[in-house]
Amino acid sequence: MATAANISPDECRSRLAALHCCVILPTYNNANTITSVVESAKQWCNSVIVINDGSTDNTHNILQPLHEQNIITLIEYPDGQNRGKGYALKTALCQAAQMGFSNAITMDSDGQHFASDIPAFVCAAEENPNAMIIGARNLTADGMPGKNTFANKFSNFWFKVETLQTLADTQSGYRLYPLSVMQGIRFVTPRYEFEVESIVRLAWRYVKVMNIPINVVYPPDRVSHFRPLHDFTRISILNTILVIIALVYYYPKCFAKWIYRTLICTSEDALHLACAVGVGSLIGTLPIWGLQTIVALATAHWLRLNKVIVLAFSNVSLPPIIPFVLYGSLYIGALITGSEAPTNISNLSLENIGQTTWQYVVGAIPFAIITGLLLGSIAYIIIRIFRK
């Protein structure tokens, strides 16, 4: 099979058709460049969809004849209002799916992208079916605006926090959307932040999100509608929301999936695995804050237990769980020492813990043993049930 560099326009059009893939060009007041962008896209792809996002320049008069000649499929809003890039992309992607396309390549219409990179998307899509493919720009290249470099690094960081995955470029508009796996996802953002929301939510569905290198140019007369303060604020708000969702939904989901694969889909003895869970939980609830990792690894090595499982469960005392660990330790400590038992978890604080240190330490050891035995037993029962 030919490499991307050796694919001719005719072969590219044929392979895009086999992939049921079109090219989508969202445009807003790009009358100076839209014609050349359409022409270059048509050289490599037979099916080009242009969505006019309420342009107020001569864009409509340029595109309408192309639509009438069946050179492009033109989408325009009845009221002619500008609704934002995200809304335009969602509208065009939905239209493409209704037209029977399974994939769609999006390009910016300001002339910064090269249609000659479309074969690279073709090769990547053939090798990675149903993947979200994003064109990665050379962020150190001459002509790259400084604000673009900062914004992309900022976005890359938060994408990693939200998905536990690493990408070199999360903001490029040159990308291939796998329409067949996007069905049923209701995206909510209307403007530039849609490009962030889409890749995060696809990653949460375990859709492969990947980069391929592309070329890019930033001509001096390029028309950009990105509003640094306004749009950056919207993206920041979105990232805040996504991080919260990741903490309460995606991370636990990943952990549950990892637990299932590690405990159920393995040939290791059920009792041995349950002991690893119990020992890790015991160490995680002992009053040895900051030393759990070292103690867990040493204990796992000494007892010849699964180190990964022991280490994972030694982190059982996560911030949301800590109040319950403290309450349980103090309560058992009160029973042993005859002291006053805490009446409410909400009353716990570092100050009153400091005043009852001995009570806490006395209770923490049996509480850790009980926790280890309980979680280890539960793990053993679950493993045996699921392995039947």
Side-chain angles (χ1 to χ4, degrees), residues 258-266 273 277 309 379 383 387:
W258 176 82
I259 288 295
Y260 180 81
R261 289 199 312 265
T262 305
L263 298 183
I264 309 302
C265 303
T266 178
L273 290 171
V277 172
I309 294 177
I383 293 169
R387 284 187 177 180

Side-chain angles (χ1 to χ4, degrees), residues 234-248:
R234 295 176 66 96
I235 292 173
S236 297
I237 293 173
L238 172 65
N239 278 320
T240 301
I241 296 171
L242 292 176
V243 167
I244 294 172
I245 296 174
L247 291 173
V248 300

Side-chain angles (χ1 to χ4, degrees), residues 53-368:
D53 186 25
S55 297
T56 55
D57 58 4
N58 198 38
T59 296
H60 169 78
N61 295 330
I62 294 172
L63 295 176
Q64 187 60 35
L66 299 177
H67 175 61
E68 293 172 352
Q69 298 169 40
N70 293 321
I71 296 175
I72 63 169
T73 298
L74 177 61
I75 303 174
E76 294 185 307
Y77 308 134
D79 59 6
Q81 295 296 310
N82 173 256
R83 289 182 167 83
K85 186 179 183 181
Y87 188 94
L89 284 172
K90 288 187 289 184
T91 301
L93 292 170
C94 182
Q95 178 67 33
Q98 292 174 359
M99 294 169 64
F101 292 105
S102 301
N103 298 283
I105 296 174
T106 61
M107 294 173 57
D108 291 348
S109 56
D110 57 5
Q112 67 172 286
H113 296 146
F114 293 87
S116 55
D117 281 326
I118 290 177
F121 284 92
V122 172
C123 292
E126 290 172 341
E127 295 173 2
N128 303 276
N130 298 324
M132 175 73 159
I133 304 167
I134 304 173
R137 301 160 293 178
N138 182 355
L139 299 180
T140 61
D142 293 337
M144 171 68 74
K147 62 181 180 181
N148 290 41
T149 302
F150 170 77
N152 191 60
K153 289 180 179 179
F154 180 86
S155 181
N156 294 350
F157 169 78
W158 287 113
F159 176 79
K160 186 171 184 177
V161 171
E162 293 151 5
T163 67
L164 305 177
Q165 300 179 37
T166 301
L167 286 178
D169 192 343
T170 54
Q171 288 200 315
S172 171
Y174 204 169
R175 51 179 68 185
L176 183 145
Y177 288 88
L179 302 179
S180 55
V181 298
M182 293 175 65
Q183 302 302 314
I185 305 179
R186 186 175 180 180
F187 298 101
V188 298
T189 50
R191 297 190 178 274
Y192 284 98
E193 64 271 22
F194 166 76
E195 292 177 322
V196 174
E197 180 195 3
S198 61
I199 59 175
V200 170
R201 295 187 63 185
L202 285 174
W204 284 352
R205 288 197 169 197
Y206 303 111
V207 173
K208 184 176 183 179
V209 182
M210 58 180 289
N211 283 134
I212 61 171
I214 60 168
N215 299 300
V216 68
V217 63
Y218 291 95
D221 58 347
R222 181 176 72 98
V223 177
S224 174
H225 303 289
F226 185 85
R227 298 165 295 176
L229 178 60
H230 185 82
D231 290 317
F232 193 75
T233 300
R234 295 176 66 96
I235 292 173
S236 297
I237 293 173
L238 172 65
N239 278 320
T240 301
I241 296 171
L242 292 176
V243 167
I244 294 172
I245 296 174
L247 291 173
V248 300
Y249 165 72
Y250 182 68
Y251 285 6
K253 178 182 176 182
C254 289
F255 182 70
K257 187 175 181 179
W258 176 82
I259 288 295
Y260 180 81
R261 289 199 312 265
T262 305
L263 298 183
I264 309 302
C265 303
T266 178
S267 59
E268 193 169 351
D269 180 70
L271 181 59
H272 196 256
L273 290 171
C275 287
V277 172
V279 169
S281 303
L282 184 153
I283 293 171
T285 48
L286 283 174
I288 51 173
W289 311 111
L291 299 175
Q292 281 96 339
T293 298
I294 296 174
V295 174
L297 289 175
T299 305
H301 178 76
W302 178 49
L303 297 177
R304 296 185 178 182
L305 296 173
N306 188 307
K307 291 184 177 63
V308 175
I309 294 177
V310 173
L311 185 60
F313 280 88
S314 70
N315 291 285
V316 67
S317 295
L318 296 171
I321 308 298
I322 288 177
F324 297 96
V325 173
L326 295 176
Y327 179 83
S329 299
L330 285 171
Y331 189 86
I332 294 177
L335 296 178
I336 295 174
T337 62
S339 305
E340 182 180 356
T343 57
N344 198 315
I345 291 180
S346 61
N347 293 333
L348 294 179
S349 66
L350 292 177
E351 182 179 352
N352 56 39
I353 291 293
Q355 295 171 353
T356 55
T357 302
W358 175 242
Q359 177 182 333
Y360 164 67
V361 172
V362 169
I365 296 174
F367 178 79

